[in-house]
Amino acid sequence: YAFPDHSAGEIKITLKEIDKQLLLKIKDNGIGLNENQMNGKEDSFGHKLIEAFQEKLDGTLKIDGSNGTSVEMSFAKYIKV
């Protein structure tokens, strides 16, 4: 959805430890989401999957649909191996 008509794009995934929390960030440089699209995505599989991870990991979630789409989740429940 981010890259209509098979246009080229980038997807960047980062995972960092900051202040004893993990920050997972997924960002693309696609067409982004407007407010109506962000509100209408609650029933999509992707949105349900993100919310399931957030709930399971007791994380905080931030979604930004401007200038591409960015999804950030931070959580403190993790074990280093």
Side-chain angles (χ1 to χ4, degrees):
Y1 300 112
F3 310 108
D5 300 323
H6 305 289
S7 60
E10 290 183 11
I11 298 173
K12 183 177 180 180
I13 301 171
T14 57
L15 180 65
K16 296 180 182 179
E17 185 178 30
I18 301 172
D19 298 328
K20 298 188 180 189
Q21 289 199 0
L22 287 181
L23 174 63
L24 173 64
K25 185 173 183 178
I26 303 166
K27 179 167 180 33
D28 68 45
N29 64 348
I31 60 173
L33 301 172
N34 64 37
E35 191 73 28
N36 291 333
Q37 289 172 313
M38 288 179 58
N39 291 335
K41 294 289 184 185
E42 288 111 12
D43 290 334
S44 72
F45 176 75
H47 197 84
K48 287 180 182 180
L49 186 62
I50 291 168
E51 287 182 340
F53 280 126
Q54 176 192 9
E55 185 176 325
K56 183 72 173 174
L57 298 170
D58 193 25
T60 59
L61 179 66
K62 184 170 78 171
I63 300 174
D64 181 7
S66 61
N67 197 21
T69 300
S70 173
V71 177
E72 293 183 14
M73 185 180 306
S74 61
F75 46 94
K77 291 184 178 179
Y78 64 96
I79 299 172
K80 288 185 179 182
V81 292

